[in-house]
Amino acid sequence: MKDQQTQQTERNLDFDRVIDRYHTDCLKYDFATERGRAADILPLWVADMDFQISSYIQDALYEQVKHGIYGYTDTLDDYVDAVNGWAKKHYGYEIKKEDLVKTPGIVYAIAMAVQAFTKENEAVLIEQPVYYPFSGVIQDNHRKLVSNDLVYDEETHTYSVDFDDFEKKIVENNVRLFLLCNPHNPVGKAYTKEELAHMGEICSKHGVTVFSDEIHADFIWDGPHQAFITAKEGLDQIAVTATAPSKTFNLAGLQVSNIVIKNKELKKKFKAAIDASGYSQLNAAGLTACKAAYQHGEVWYEAVKQYIKDNIAFMENYLETNSPQLKMIHPQATYLTWVDCRALGLSDTELENFIENKAHLWLDGGFIFGKTGRGFERFNVACPRKTLEKALEQLKNAISTIL
């Protein structure tokens, strides 16, 4: 009965509605010219959604606005209960108050982990092609970047882990920290329990701390999310797990993440790095939105998840039918699609020029995710179907001019 009532009172379920985001200081739409692109380019790059948030979150924020005071804000037990309730239902583990550290976003948390668990010039391991801030944070903090590149199968268009290389890279470079993107952005890989357990065993063996970025955990397309810390007993003692409502509920601009650390010593070091950075309480609106999302956002979440799943199927079918030169990696997770464009025979520079000036699209070029991403493009399909179809038509028409 409660779900039926929520369904009836959730107002923001029209995902076909195209909402004008221009002139809202929107990074995705309003900053094209500042970044060297045409003002009217169609953006499918940065990973936020073109959908209105759950009306329950809107209403919670309205109430906060009406109150009119935005002083220093922290969280009580009801916040922890909301975060824990979501984690138990969707991720299969419990979060206690003493396990939780709140940060203004996961990239900030990655930087704090790098500072907490490594020293300058020590090695940090990643798996490229991977979300490009991983590399940036490592290098900006003067650490050594080491990559255990994911292995791409040209026939099945899938990615796998080279475990021999994984351990070799750890040993040869005395790696202290592994940044895991689980599920993986941009290739859409949902790691299996066996893969995570194997990586965890190797990291435990060699004293490597694992930072598991699980921000996309709510968009697994076949089955539940497999958290790193539940893949094998004891992994929760070497891990920092990063979660957030930002991708799931389109709240990225409110900058709130919930970092789960069950090992007291790891948490102490992580908190010390945050304290050294000068940061304390999160912004009030972000905390309000997070609590409302996890308490009342289930109906909106399930609806948007189905819409995005249908968008992925639409894009896959469209490319197969109209642009067969491009090979879309069928995503196991995330609302980001990874497309192999190498058959076009273009260099990195030529491909970016083609995408921006011929197809008139703003995407994330694969090369920014590491050398193994060259020749690929990342699309964000969390948008109305009309927007996605327009983008694919522009791409198809551009391809017809060069082939």
Side-chain angles (χ1 to χ4, degrees):
M1 183 65 178
K2 183 179 178 181
D3 287 344
Q4 291 177 349
Q5 291 173 342
T6 304
Q7 178 75 51
Q8 290 168 1
T9 53
E10 174 60 70
R11 302 185 302 272
N12 295 341
L13 298 177
D14 182 6
F15 305 117
D16 280 325
R17 178 186 169 203
V18 177
I19 299 171
D20 186 358
R21 297 185 65 186
Y22 286 102
H23 312 299
T24 62
D25 293 334
C26 170
L27 181 63
K28 191 174 183 179
Y29 284 87
D30 286 332
F31 289 83
T33 55
E34 287 200 8
R35 298 192 175 206
R37 295 167 176 85
D40 61 346
I41 197 170
L42 183 57
L44 277 77
W45 65 289
V46 69
D48 66 12
M49 302 183 190
D50 289 337
F51 308 131
Q52 278 195 327
I53 62 174
S54 165
S55 60
Y56 281 91
I57 304 174
Q58 276 189 310
D59 291 345
L61 292 170
Y62 287 155
E63 289 301 313
Q64 188 176 52
V65 168
K66 285 194 294 184
H67 184 255
I69 298 176
Y70 315 108
Y72 296 115
T73 304
D74 211 329
T75 56
L76 297 171
D77 288 346
D78 58 347
Y79 179 92
V80 179
D81 290 344
V83 175
N84 179 50
W86 191 269
K88 284 174 65 177
K89 180 174 181 179
H90 294 278
Y91 312 147
Y93 59 81
E94 293 193 33
I95 301 173
K96 298 178 181 179
K97 189 173 184 177
E98 59 266 27
D99 301 333
L100 193 60
V101 181
K102 302 181 294 293
T103 67
I106 287 180
V107 175
Y108 173 84
I110 292 172
M112 294 302 97
V114 167
Q115 293 177 21
F117 306 127
T118 66
K119 299 176 182 178
E120 283 200 13
N121 300 315
E122 286 189 331
V124 180
L125 183 69
I126 60 177
E127 291 181 319
Q128 290 182 325
V130 73
Y131 182 49
Y132 44 89
F134 279 34
S135 303
V137 167
I138 293 168
Q139 294 168 331
D140 289 344
N141 280 284
H142 309 293
R143 270 61 170 179
K144 179 182 178 182
L145 188 158
V146 178
S147 180
N148 162 238
D149 294 343
L150 292 178
V151 179
Y152 180 55
D153 188 314
E154 299 280 354
E155 293 185 3
T156 63
H157 306 293
T158 58
Y159 284 87
S160 61
V161 179
D162 182 340
F163 292 103
D164 290 338
D165 182 69
F166 184 86
E167 185 165 20
K168 181 181 178 183
K169 291 286 175 59
I170 287 174
V171 172
E172 289 183 348
N173 296 279
N174 193 28
V175 167
R176 297 292 87 204
L177 177 66
F178 169 41
L179 301 182
L180 169 65
C181 195
N182 173 42
H184 193 281
N185 168 16
V187 308
K189 178 178 174 61
Y191 289 90
T192 65
K193 183 176 183 178
E194 291 73 23
E195 287 175 321
L196 294 172
H198 196 172
M199 289 189 288
E201 289 169 357
I202 294 170
C203 289
S204 295
K205 177 181 175 182
H206 297 289
V208 177
T209 300
V210 179
F211 184 101
S212 187
D213 173 1
E214 305 194 5
I215 196 170
H216 292 279
D218 292 313
F219 294 103
I220 305 293
W221 303 119
D222 184 17
H225 168 62
Q226 175 58 62
F228 175 77
I229 61 173
T230 63
K232 184 179 175 63
E233 187 176 354
L235 294 187
D236 59 352
Q237 293 305 301
I238 67 166
V240 175
T241 304
T243 73
S246 50
K247 301 305 179 192
T248 309
F249 292 99
N250 203 24
L251 303 174
L254 295 181
Q255 297 193 330
V256 55
S257 297
N258 298 295
I259 314 302
V260 182
I261 313 175
K262 294 184 176 288
N263 181 302
K264 292 181 180 179
E265 285 303 310
L266 292 183
K267 182 183 176 185
K268 183 179 178 180
K269 290 180 180 180
F270 187 76
K271 280 284 292 175
I274 292 175
D275 292 343
S277 78
Y279 199 85
S280 54
Q281 285 78 23
L282 270 67
N283 78 82
L287 296 174
T288 293
C290 179
K291 184 171 69 173
Y294 288 149
Q295 286 177 335
H296 306 295
E298 187 81 32
V299 167
W300 185 93
Y301 159 66
E302 291 294 346
V304 82
K305 184 178 180 182
Q306 184 59 55
Y307 189 90
I308 292 170
K309 186 175 184 179
D310 291 344
N311 265 1
I312 291 171
F314 174 82
M315 179 173 179
E316 197 163 28
N317 180 67
Y318 188 99
L319 291 180
E320 288 176 357
T321 304
N322 298 283
S323 305
Q325 305 86 356
L326 308 183
K327 301 299 180 184
M328 177 176 141
I329 311 307
H330 181 73
Q332 299 169 331
T334 84
Y335 56 73
L336 306 166
T337 60
W338 187 238
V339 179
D340 186 348
C341 303
R342 291 175 297 169
L344 298 179
L346 303 175
S347 67
D348 290 343
T349 302
E350 290 169 340
L351 180 58
E352 292 311 293
N353 179 67
F354 169 78
I355 293 293
E356 292 177 17
N357 299 314
K358 295 287 188 181
H360 212 57
L361 297 175
W362 188 359
L363 308 176
D364 271 341
F367 66 93
I368 67 175
F369 299 91
K371 66 181 185 301
T372 53
R374 289 176 176 169
F376 290 75
E377 294 285 334
R378 192 189 78 170
F379 293 69
N380 173 2
V381 300
C383 59
R385 187 72 46 77
K386 288 181 181 177
T387 302
L388 179 59
E389 186 172 12
K390 184 175 187 294
L392 295 174
E393 286 178 354
Q394 289 178 196
L395 183 60
K396 177 191 72 173
N397 293 336
I399 291 173
S400 71
T401 67
I402 63 171
L403 294 179

